[in-house]
Each structure stands twice: as structure tokens, then as C-alpha cells.
Amino acid sequence: MLGGHVTEISVVIAMFGVITVLGFAASRWRRPEAAFDQKWGLEEWGLGGRAFGNGICFFLLGGDVYTAYTLVALPALVYGLGAPGFFPVAFLAITYPLIYVALPRMWSVAHVHGFVTPAEFVRARFGSSPLAVLVACTTIIATMPYIAVQLVGMRAVFQAMGITGDIPLILAFGLLAFFTFNSGLRAPALLAIVKDLMLMATVLIVLLLLTITQGGWGHVFSAASTQFAHSKGGSLLLPANAQLSYVTLALGSAMALFLYPHTMTGVLASRNRATVKRSLSLLPVYTLMLGLFALFGFAAISAGVRPLGGNSTTILPQLLQTNLNGWGAGLCFAALSIGALVPASIMSIGAANLFTRNIYRVFFKRDATAGQETQVSRIASLVVKLGALAVIVSINVGNAIDLQLMGGCVLLQVFPAVALGLYTNWFHRRALIAGLIAGLVSGVAMLYQIPGTDASGKVISRHFGGDSWPLSHLGLDTKASIYVGLVALVVNLGVAASLTWACRWLGVPRGRDMTDPSDYTADEHDTTVRRMSELIDGELPRQAKHARRGGVAAVR
């Protein structure tokens, strides 16, 4: 079973040994000496002490946004669909202008009030604990499938090396669980540097080899065009009936990306606003790399690569094996495997922080100490990983991918409270709750109506088969479809706006906004910025708040 893959497996095992050492050593990396004299708090474990500089923040954000699943699945999508498979490149081009203006505001208000999660911001902004809990639960549920699909990418790599079964996958994720438990966010931050450098080297080497060995990219595109001409499933150009789905999927995905807890966690761990802006301004470099990975799908067609065991996600690993020797392929496989561990680790930390600060602290122990919060987050991160592992082990890969796409539709429903909340508190807290529920219900109802199909278009499941809702359900004579998440968001916003007007007309009391306009532009050296040890459950003491508004530096 492993014949011919001994060198590749040896290289991957050796690299796993290296990242194990780095993962456990990261607990002391860039950790101030003062932190060793007291219980390790959630600010240290879950946000790396909020002290990451330009380089680390850049690699950390790149490491959690550009996941192994994305890098493995994108060539597979292009291999099967052609032009529609490039949608991640399109939505990332839309994402960066949006998050460049929004996320520095989140950094500032979070550092003034000591927020660890966006749900805490929602509670303070709209004065509603129920809304914050609903945002936290929605985000955790939407993140679980995203963690699970990282295992899809790792499994594809293992399968290409002849490793089958769930035991290797369980061992690899067990390794991830232990060094995350021990080192917190510092572990994936350190490993992200290793992972990203290896991936950049991989894409440059493979691009050069493909250009030399396959007769140039003109030949590659010609071969892809010929295959798509003889198949029903793909095209080098975007089909007319797929354009609406493509545009709305790209827009909706762009609006949802920065709502994921791993993106927020990477931003909140940054040292200052300038670090956030610099890192975000450089991330399009990764988008260029992602576009090159997408082209590997066409290269796989030209090279005659076929899915291994019917699993389309093995396209890229098999292409690497075709063009590289054992050592080269082993290093590329190691890069992809580490590329699954890093984002999964950050996602689990973000989800665990949400649970600890917005569910455990609210419902179970309001007076939890810093040490207790950290311990709960550590345990919660293990539970999240076990849940993701159970998803992959118990259901087929295709369903896991569909769950991840549907998770994005779910997460998009917190957009009014989190993203719009950074700019306005016009919405009424109860209207936001009703809108979020309406968006979730309508979104799930539409997802239920979407059949699942295989590559040939044959229906293989009647419900929950994707995230593009056919407009034919409205009685229209068309094959066009639209991204469910965006439609559900329109319902969400419509309900929230209507009920806000109704609540104002009826005189329903609004929640107290604990933030000030100046909170959203505060920077590292401003007197309003505090460490969590100086704060009381996300709120400055009343006398300090009063002094701050009077322009006096207030210290508790």
C-alpha cells in the first residue's frame, strides 16, 4: 500500500516532528516575563498577549485565511468546473477593501474595552446579552464545518501517499490539539511562518516545473478547453446561467470572511492599528498565490491526472507526485498538511474564546478568574476539534464540503450586528435578534430546497446539496441560481430595519451603548487602551469612563 511513497512519508513525518517541537516551544515564545509570575490569562493564551507585530500578523492572517482545504480544493474545482472554480480569487479581491476599513475599528474598540470576541462587542454596542449569545452560538456553529474541511485537505494528501483509514488523521489532529492546548495562539502564529514559506516555495517550484514540462501554458489551456468541450461539467468561460450565482457567491463570501472567529482572532492579536492595516494591505500577495494554485487545476487536465478513488481533492497531490521526486513531493505534502493544522488551530481557539466569554461566563460563572477562563477555553478548543473530527469520520467528504458552504450562509447573518455595528447603533437590539433569527430560518429553508448533484449533474440528494438557490423556485423559467446567504441577509436586514422603526414608534427602550465614538479610532499608546487585567468584564469603571469623556487620563 505504501510502496513508492516511503520517501514522501518520511519527509512528512520529519516535518511533523519539527512542528511538534515548535508548537510546544511556542508557549514561551514572545511571552513577557511578567506573564510567568501569574496565571496565564485568556489574553495571553487566546490572543498571544495582543502583541504580534507586522511580520507575525501578516503570516498569521495569511495562515488562517488561506487554508489547506482552499489550496487543495481550488485546483479540484477548476479541474471539474473551469472558470466558476476561480470564485475564491474574486471574492478575496472584494474582501480586502471591506476589511481594511472595518477591522482597524474592531481592533480599537476591542482594545479599549478588553473584548476578546466580536460577540462581546455586540453586547456592549447594543446593550443586549441575548443578542451576544445568539451571535456567539451562530458563529461557533458556522465555524465547526470550516474546521472539519481542513481535515478533508489533509486526508487528500494522506490518500495520495497511500495512507488510508482514520487513524493517521486522528493522530495528526491529536498532535494539533495538544500543542494548541499547551501554547494557545502562539503555536499557530509561529507555525504559520513555517507553513507560508513552504507553500510559497511550493507554488514557485511547481509553477516553474509545469511551465517547462508541459509545453507552456498555451498548451495547458488548449488541453483544458478540449476536455471541457467534450464534457458537460466545465468551461474556460463563465456560463451565462452561472453568472448570478458566481457574483452573489463572491460578494456574500467576501462579506462573511472577516466574521469568522479565526480572522477576528488574528486581528485582535495585533499590536496596533498600523500593524492591522499593513498586514491587510499585503495579504493580496496570498491571493496571487491562490490564483496560481487554481491554475494547477488546468495543469492537472493537461497532465492527464485523474481523481484517486473518485476523490477530486486528490488532484493537486497527484499533480505534485507527477512532477516532483519523492523529496520534493514530500516537502509539498508536508506544507499542505501543516496548512491544515494552522488554520484549524486558530479556528478552534476563536470558537473556544466565544464559548468562554459569551456562554460560560454569562450562564455558568460570571466571576470566573483569568485562570479559569483560560482552562475553559483550552477544554472547549479540544471539544471543538473532536467535533470536527467526528464530522469527517462519520460522513462522506462531499457532505462535509457542502456543510462548510452552508456554514458561510449561516455566519453571514451576524453581519448587521457585528459589521454594521462598527459604524452605527441605529438598529434596535430586539430587532437585530428578530432579524438574525429570520435570516437563519429563511436561509436554512432555502438550503433545504437545494438538491445535491455529482460532477455529471446527476441528483444524488434531495436536500442540503449546496449554497446556490435555483430561481425556478420563484416560478421563473430560468436555470440561474443565487447565493443563499445573500438572500437570507436581505431578509435579515429587512426584518431588523422594519422592527427598529416599530420599536422606536412604540417607545421600546433601547439597550445602553457602552462605547464612545473615540473608541473606534483609539491606538496603541492612547490612555483609553487597557489590558484585560485593568478592566471589569469589558466595561471601564464608571469614574474612569466619566474622566475619559472629560479628556482626563483615567486609570483604575
Side-chain angles (χ1 to χ4, degrees):
M1 179 178 64
L2 302 180
H5 302 293
V6 175
T7 303
E8 298 166 1
I9 295 172
S10 299
V11 172
V12 171
I13 291 175
M15 288 304 303
F16 266 76
V18 171
I19 67 167
T20 300
V21 174
L22 290 176
F24 281 99
S27 64
R28 304 182 68 89
W29 177 57
R30 298 180 63 86
R31 186 177 174 190
E33 290 298 323
F36 292 97
D37 299 330
Q38 53 185 308
K39 282 275 189 178
W40 194 352
L42 196 58
E43 188 173 29
E44 287 293 330
W45 182 85
L47 291 180
R50 300 184 189 262
F52 292 157
N54 296 326
I56 300 170
C57 185
F58 168 73
F59 284 113
L60 181 62
L61 288 172
D64 62 36
V65 172
Y66 296 85
T67 68
Y69 168 68
T70 302
L71 299 178
V72 169
L74 187 55
L77 282 174
V78 173
Y79 178 91
L81 300 176
F86 280 86
F87 88 89
V89 180
F91 90 70
L92 286 168
I94 301 171
T95 296
Y96 292 126
L98 295 177
I99 63 179
Y100 185 84
V101 297
L103 289 184
R105 294 177 65 85
M106 177 62 79
W107 184 96
S108 293
V109 71
H111 279 63
V112 170
H113 293 269
F115 303 144
V116 178
T117 69
E120 290 180 283
F121 160 70
V122 169
R123 182 187 63 187
R125 181 63 151 161
F126 298 101
S128 175
S129 290
L131 176 60
V133 171
L134 185 57
V135 168
C137 292
T138 301
T139 305
I140 292 171
I141 292 171
T143 303
M144 289 286 287
Y146 210 166
I147 300 174
V149 296
Q150 303 313 309
L151 293 174
V152 174
M154 188 179 291
R155 173 178 277 176
V157 172
F158 287 173
Q159 189 175 351
M161 292 189 294
I163 302 174
T164 58
D166 296 321
I167 299 300
L169 206 60
I170 293 172
L171 291 176
F173 234 53
L175 176 67
L176 162 70
F178 282 115
F179 70 63
T180 302
F181 186 93
N182 178 70
S183 304
L185 189 65
R186 283 180 170 83
L190 182 57
L191 297 181
I193 300 174
V194 178
K195 167 247 184 186
D196 290 351
L197 292 177
M198 291 181 67
L199 284 177
M200 289 177 184
T202 296
V203 71
L204 290 175
I205 292 171
V206 175
L207 185 65
L208 179 61
L209 286 174
L210 292 178
T211 303
I212 296 173
T213 60
Q214 295 200 27
W217 286 95
H219 173 73
V220 169
F221 284 112
S222 176
S225 179
T226 301
Q227 174 159 314
F228 289 143
H230 293 85
S231 66
K232 299 179 179 179
S235 171
L236 284 180
L237 298 177
L238 193 65
N241 61 6
Q243 292 175 3
L244 178 62
S245 174
Y246 185 93
V247 171
T248 54
L249 176 59
L251 179 60
S253 299
M255 296 168 66
L257 180 63
F258 79 98
L259 300 173
Y260 277 104
H262 56 285
T263 307
M264 288 286 189
T265 299
V267 168
L268 296 184
S270 302
R271 179 181 300 162
N272 50 42
R273 285 172 61 95
T275 297
V276 175
K277 289 184 176 181
R278 290 191 192 101
S279 300
L280 293 176
S281 66
L282 292 174
L283 283 183
V285 172
Y286 282 96
T287 305
L288 175 62
M289 182 177 71
L290 188 66
L292 295 176
F293 265 93
L295 290 176
F296 294 163
F298 291 143
I301 294 174
S302 176
V305 174
R306 293 290 179 266
L308 186 62
N311 181 5
S312 62
T313 55
T314 61
I315 289 296
L316 177 61
Q318 294 219 103
L319 179 66
L320 295 175
Q321 281 185 329
T322 302
N323 289 274
L324 298 173
N325 58 29
W327 286 95
L331 287 172
C332 293
F333 290 162
L336 292 172
S337 299
I338 298 171
L341 296 180
V342 170
S345 177
I346 303 171
M347 291 173 193
S348 66
I349 290 172
N353 290 344
L354 280 162
F355 173 81
T356 301
R357 295 287 290 182
N358 301 282
I359 297 176
Y360 171 76
R361 192 178 177 93
V362 171
F363 293 106
F364 300 102
K365 194 171 180 63
R366 289 182 177 272
D367 58 346
T369 64
Q372 289 172 332
E373 283 189 342
T374 303
Q375 192 64 17
V376 169
S377 266
R378 283 173 157 172
I379 296 172
S381 71
L382 291 177
V383 173
V384 168
K385 294 184 189 74
L386 288 174
L389 189 61
V391 169
I392 293 300
V393 171
S394 61
I395 69 174
N396 66 60
V397 171
N399 287 338
I401 294 172
D402 289 337
L403 284 175
Q404 190 272 326
L405 294 173
M406 290 184 281
C409 299
V410 170
L411 183 65
L412 192 54
Q413 305 317 308
V414 307
F415 186 88
V418 178
L420 297 184
L422 289 171
Y423 293 91
T424 179
N425 66 348
W426 178 83
F427 289 101
H428 195 281
R429 53 181 176 171
R430 296 181 181 177
L432 283 171
I433 293 174
L436 202 162
I437 294 174
L440 291 175
V441 171
S442 59
V444 172
M446 286 186 286
L447 291 170
Y448 179 81
Q449 294 179 310
I450 300 174
T453 59
D454 59 17
S456 65
K458 179 182 178 182
V459 175
I460 56 176
S461 63
R462 297 181 61 188
H463 308 293
F464 297 110
D467 60 338
S468 293
W469 189 65
L471 293 180
S472 58
H473 287 301
L474 296 176
L476 301 177
D477 184 16
T478 178
K479 294 182 179 180
S481 58
I482 190 169
Y483 179 55
V484 167
L486 210 56
V487 178
L489 179 60
V490 171
V491 174
N492 183 341
L493 288 170
V495 171
S498 300
L499 290 183
T500 294
W501 282 319
C503 288
R504 291 189 172 204
W505 184 69
L506 294 172
V508 179
R510 299 180 58 182
R512 183 166 67 94
D513 184 358
M514 291 164 45
T515 69
D516 292 331
S518 61
D519 295 346
Y520 297 90
T521 56
D523 209 343
E524 181 180 18
H525 299 296
D526 291 355
T527 56
T528 55
V529 173
R530 298 286 188 270
R531 308 296 296 183
M532 285 178 61
S533 59
E534 299 177 271
L535 299 165
I536 300 177
D537 193 22
E539 182 176 10
L540 285 171
R542 182 173 299 176
Q543 64 270 25
K545 189 91 168 180
H546 177 74
R548 182 168 62 116
R549 283 176 176 160
V552 180
V555 179
R556 189 167 67 86

